[in-house]
Amino acid sequence: MSTNAKAHGMDGSLVEADWPPLTMDEVRTLLCQFPDCGEPVQILSISPRPFSAASVVAIRSDRVFIKRHHRTVRDREGLLEEHRFLQYLKAHGAPVPRVLSTPCGETAIETGEWTYEVHETPVGLDLYEDAISWTPFRSTGHAYYAGHALARLHLASQGFAAPNRKARPLVAGFTILAAKDPWVELERYLAARPALAEDTVTRNNCAEALELVAPFHAELLPLTDKLEPLWTHNDLHASNLFWSDESADARATAIIDFGLADRTNAVHDLAQAIERNIVEWLSLMQDPAHPEDVPVHLDHLHALLAGYEAVRPLCEEEATALAPMTAICHVEFAISEADYFRGVLHSEEKALLASKDYLIGHAAWFRGPGGRRLLDVLRTWARRR
């Protein structure tokens, strides 16, 4: 699939995109099913996100956001899992964009090997449009209002009773390490994903990762029953937020990109936000021999937590669970990412990066001095709240 489009690579560089960019012809054909949008005028941007093709498109006097997925990644039912959650959040006051629908009420359009969705563009500025995961906030103010927005989402999510998502690539769930016996749950997880079921390399890497995170699982296990199940975003990075202005004190005006959403719990989602924004993991990939030198933005961490608790204070058990959850929250998505690379892109090289550099590398970092410092800060914060 050679194209001129560029996407974020796993090491932070720009690489050739795996998926061809949207074209005016396909956008025009798609928007014919959304008569309120009218004719597309211009494709304004090509997203560098790696797992799909997406663009902001000018229509008459407005703009829409269009995303195209391969059906092996998101078929119609897979997208509807996300859309039902978004519609519930919107109805309950969360700052999320509206999913557009056809006159028949359809929001997920299947055409050949592709599945499309169309969203309104949120109010605000896309300040982090080109930022990738694992790069920090620009200011403590942004960290504060990111936590504020996440807490609003969690309050709005209460009462959404959909079950866990079906087995799909690229979903950040919480099942393996939520179990008393994660080894048994890991076997179930791998067996439900044919690309991984017989993949010896990924299996061995998963086993090594579970050994590494075993102390954190033991620390978390007595608290898991106190963590109320909740549908969550699971990828709250600065680039998945829109902002009120360009200042250091800009407020988050909208949360976007619910592709990783699933039924987990509020602590898991908050831990994901810490993992995505506070630790500069790309420096670990670029210099794996010196994990102790990975930058950790503790000022942003405290601002993120303060912003969250200004809206939704954590109970004692949730606060205590946050440190071990931060050390393990990446595990399930890393395995899901390996499933995507093996099963969809058929790339053993990228699957190995996901299961070794990401899954094992991050787990090992939390066992080292840098990870221990971060977790000790979280444990101290939980005691002193």
Side-chain angles (χ1 to χ4, degrees), residues 52-278:
S52 61
S55 290
V56 175
V57 177
I59 55 164
R60 294 192 301 211
S61 60
D62 203 352
R63 299 177 301 161
V64 293
F65 179 72
I66 298 176
K67 200 170 187 179
R68 184 230 290 138
H69 310 263
H70 196 268
R71 284 179 67 173
T72 55
V73 181
R74 289 291 179 270
D75 58 10
R76 175 179 176 274
E77 182 52 38
L79 272 188
L80 290 180
E81 290 173 338
E82 300 167 23
H83 293 175
R84 286 189 284 266
F85 183 38
L86 272 166
Q87 289 161 347
Y88 184 91
L89 290 173
K90 186 76 173 175
H92 288 79
V96 298
R98 182 169 59 96
V99 186
L100 302 188
S101 60
T102 68
C104 298
E106 184 61 73
T107 59
I109 309 298
E110 288 189 331
T111 303
E113 62 182 324
W114 306 114
T115 312
Y116 296 86
E117 55 184 327
V118 184
H119 298 251
E120 69 176 358
T121 52
V123 173
L125 303 177
D126 192 358
L127 294 184
Y128 293 82
E129 181 179 7
D130 296 323
I132 63 174
S133 289
W134 308 334
T135 52
F137 293 109
R138 296 180 185 175
S139 68
T140 55
H142 289 188
Y144 179 91
Y145 285 112
H148 202 274
L150 184 62
R152 288 182 60 194
L153 187 151
H154 289 169
L155 292 179
S157 179
Q158 292 175 356
F160 184 68
N164 290 59
R165 295 182 77 162
K166 296 177 181 177
R168 307 185 187 282
L170 303 177
V171 171
F174 180 56
T175 59
I176 297 170
L177 288 162
K180 288 185 172 61
D181 189 339
W183 296 93
V184 172
E185 198 59 39
L186 174 64
E187 284 302 316
R188 290 197 190 101
Y189 187 97
L190 296 175
R193 291 157 177 82
L196 298 182
E198 304 302 326
D199 180 359
T200 303
V201 173
T202 299
R203 280 181 166 274
N204 290 341
N205 287 343
C206 288
E208 183 174 347
L210 286 196
E211 291 283 2
L212 285 166
V213 302
F216 309 122
H217 176 260
E219 183 181 352
L220 179 65
L221 191 59
L223 301 164
T224 51
D225 288 344
K226 303 295 184 181
L227 307 180
E228 292 291 332
L230 187 75
W231 265 75
T232 50
H233 184 274
N234 300 326
D235 192 20
L236 192 88
H237 181 260
S239 62
N240 281 333
L241 293 163
F242 272 57
W243 301 87
S244 60
D245 55 72
E246 296 184 2
S247 74
D249 295 319
R251 292 174 173 264
T253 58
I255 301 174
I256 63 170
D257 196 352
F258 282 74
L260 275 59
D262 200 357
R263 186 174 174 84
T264 65
N265 57 71
V267 175
H268 181 271
D269 208 11
L270 185 54
Q272 291 277 18
I274 293 169
E275 193 267 351
R276 292 286 192 272
N277 298 280
I278 303 304

Side-chain angles (χ1 to χ4, degrees), residues 7-8 14 47 111-112 147 149 164 196 210 223 265 280-281 299 303 315 340 345 358-359 361 367 380 382:
H8 292 150
L14 284 176
S47 172
T111 303
N164 290 59
L196 298 182
L210 286 196
L223 301 164
N265 57 71
E280 290 197 36
W281 296 109
D299 53 342
C315 70
Y340 167 78
L345 296 187
Y358 180 17
L359 176 60
R367 294 288 295 270
T380 300

